[in-house]
C-alpha cells in the first residue's frame, strides 16, 4: 500500500510512522516534507504539493481550518481511499463525499499528542472497505485503541473535551498568581500540571480548536455565574456540580441542609479535618 500524506507536521509524521505502507509527504513547506520523510525513514519520500501522481490512500493531515480545502485539492490523487486526521470530522467527511464519492472514506482523530502515542483514536468509517480496514488494523497493531463513532457524536463531544476544557485550563493559567512554596493544594497542583502540559503545545492548534468548536462561551458563562453568586447560590452550584461528577453525591432531597452522605453518617469531612482537597 502506498500512502500520500498531505501535511508534514507532527500528526502527519506520526501517521507516517504508524502505518505499514510506503509513505510520501507533500506539504506547502518542502523542507518540512523532507524532514518528515527523514523522520519516518525507510522508503519514505516527498512529492510536490501540486503533483498529479496517484496513491492507494490519500491522508489529509493539515490544520482543521484547511481540511475541507485540502480534500477538494487532493481527492483526485486517491485511487482506493481518502482519510483525514485533522481533528474535526463533519466538514471533512462532507467534502470527501462530494469530491471522492466512489472511494472508501474515513475520518480519524488521534486523541493524544503524537509524542504520547499510542492511544485512543476516534474513527468514523463513512464508506469502508479493504483499504481502510487494512490501514486501521495497522494502527491497532501499533497499540492504539479504535473508538468507533459518528461525525456528529465526535464533534459534539469535542465541544466539551477540547474547546471547553482548553478554555478552562487556559483561563486558570492566565488568572492564577504565583503562590509561596508550601501553599499548594492538590487541586491547585493538578490545575498547574494541566496548565504546564497545555502550554507546551502549539498555540495555532489550540486556536484552531476554539475556532472549530463551541464550548468556551459555556466556560465563561459558568465562571460569571460563580463570580456573581451569593453564599447560598454557591452551595447550590457546588451540589449541582457534585451531582454531575460524584456517583455517590447527595442530592438536595437527601438532606435539606445540603450535607454530604459522609457528613450525615458522622464521618469527617476532608476539607475541615486537616485534609484539604481545595
Amino acid at each position: 500500500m502506498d500512502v500520500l500524506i498531505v501535511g508534514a507536521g507532527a500528526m502527519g509524521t506520526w501517521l507516517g510512522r504508524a502505518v505499514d505502507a510506503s509513505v510520501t509527504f507533500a506539504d506547502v513547506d518542502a523542507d518540512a516534507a523532507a524532514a518528515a520523510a527523514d523522520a519516518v525513514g525507510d522508503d519514505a519520500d516527498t512529492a510536490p504539493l501540486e503533483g498529479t501522481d496517484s496513491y492507494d490512500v490519500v491522508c489529509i493531515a493539515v490544520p482543521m481550518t484547511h481540511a475541507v480545502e485540502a480534500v477538494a485539492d487532493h481527492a483526485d490523487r486517491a485511487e482506493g481511499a481518502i482519510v483525514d486526521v485533522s481533528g474535526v470530522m463533519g466538514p471533512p467527511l462532507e467534502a470527501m463525499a462530494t469530491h471522492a464519492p466512489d472511494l472508501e472514506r474515513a475520518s480519524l482523530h488521534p486523541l493524544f499528542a503524537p509524542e504520547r502515542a499510542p492511544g485512543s483514536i476516534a474513527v468514523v468509517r463513512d464508506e469502508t472497505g479493504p483499504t481502510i480496514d487494512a490501514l486501521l488494523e495497522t494502527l491497532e497493531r501499533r497499540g492504539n485503541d479504535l473508538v468507533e463513532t459518528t461525525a456528529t457524536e465526535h464533534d459534539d463531544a469535542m465541544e466539551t473535551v477540547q474547546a471547553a476544557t482548553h478554555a478552562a485550563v487556559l483561563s486558570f493559567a492566565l488568572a492564577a498568581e504565583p503562590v509561596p512554596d508550601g501553599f499548594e493544594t492538590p487541586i491547585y497542583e493538578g490545575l498547574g500540571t494541566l496548565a504546564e502540559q497545555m502550554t507546551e503545545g502549539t498555540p495555532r492548534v489550540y486556536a484552531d480548536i476554539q475556532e472549530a468548536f463551541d464550548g468556551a462561551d459555556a466556560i465563561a458563562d459558568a465562571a460569571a455565574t460563580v463570580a456573581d453568586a451569593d453564599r447560598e447560590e454557591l452551595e447550590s452550584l457546588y451540589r449541582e456540580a457534585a451531582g454531575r461528577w460524584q456517583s455517590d453525591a447527595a442530592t438536595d432531597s437527601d438532606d435539606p441542609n445540603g450535607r454530604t452522605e459522609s457528613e450525615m453518617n458522622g464521618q469527617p469531612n476532608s476539607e475541615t479535618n486537616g485534609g484539604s482537597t481545595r
Side-chain angles (χ1 to χ4, degrees):
M1 181 188 301
D2 54 9
V3 178
L4 173 67
I5 300 177
V6 179
M11 194 55 69
T13 303
W14 163 80
L15 184 68
R17 288 171 167 159
V19 298
D20 184 11
S22 175
V23 173
T24 299
F25 288 96
D27 194 282
V28 67
D29 183 344
D31 290 339
D38 288 343
V40 171
D42 298 331
D43 297 327
D45 202 354
T46 64
L49 189 64
E50 305 300 332
T52 58
D53 291 345
S54 60
Y55 301 82
D56 295 325
V57 182
V58 168
C59 178
I60 306 300
V62 301
M64 61 179 67
T65 52
H66 299 289
V68 169
E69 178 184 357
V71 169
D73 289 344
H74 300 284
D76 61 356
R77 302 176 76 174
E79 293 183 351
I82 182 168
V83 303
D84 85 287
V85 291
S86 64
V88 63
M89 291 186 164
L93 284 171
E94 290 175 6
M96 291 180 208
T98 297
H99 298 284
D102 299 325
L103 297 181
E104 297 175 34
R105 303 182 299 274
S107 185
L108 317 179
H109 183 190
L111 300 169
F112 50 83
E115 62 271 17
R116 294 184 174 88
S120 296
I121 302 176
V123 177
V124 173
R125 306 183 197 228
D126 193 46
E127 189 64 44
T128 195
T131 302
I132 284 178
D133 288 347
L135 191 72
L136 295 177
E137 287 170 5
T138 296
L139 296 178
E140 282 190 302
R141 289 199 301 272
R142 300 288 189 190
N144 298 288
D145 296 320
L146 303 185
V147 181
E148 304 283 349
T149 184
T150 66
T152 298
E153 181 181 54
H154 170 272
D155 290 354
D156 286 350
M158 289 305 107
E159 292 185 4
T160 295
V161 172
Q162 290 193 316
T165 300
H166 296 169
V169 175
L170 181 59
S171 296
F172 167 81
L174 294 171
E177 297 288 345
V179 299
D181 289 343
F183 280 54
E184 302 88 348
T185 64
I187 291 178
Y188 173 87
E189 287 188 319
L191 284 171
T193 298
L194 291 174
E196 290 176 0
Q197 180 178 329
M198 199 178 84
T199 53
E200 288 174 350
T202 304
R204 175 195 54 76
V205 173
Y206 289 99
D208 287 345
I209 289 168
Q210 293 300 331
E211 184 176 343
F213 302 111
D214 295 330
D217 286 347
I219 297 298
D221 291 344
T225 298
V226 170
D228 293 340
D230 60 23
R231 180 183 179 86
E232 289 185 359
E233 290 168 337
L234 281 171
E235 291 185 6
S236 177
L237 290 170
Y238 188 94
R239 288 194 293 272
E240 179 183 343
R244 292 188 183 188
W245 292 94
Q246 303 295 328
S247 60
D248 60 348
T251 65
D252 288 345
S253 61
D254 293 324
D255 181 70
N257 295 317
R259 293 177 299 170
T260 64
E261 183 177 352
S262 61
E263 290 171 323
M264 288 188 288
N265 291 334
Q267 298 173 10
N269 183 297
S270 61
E271 189 173 350
T272 59
N273 199 50
S276 174
T277 59
R278 290 174 292 177

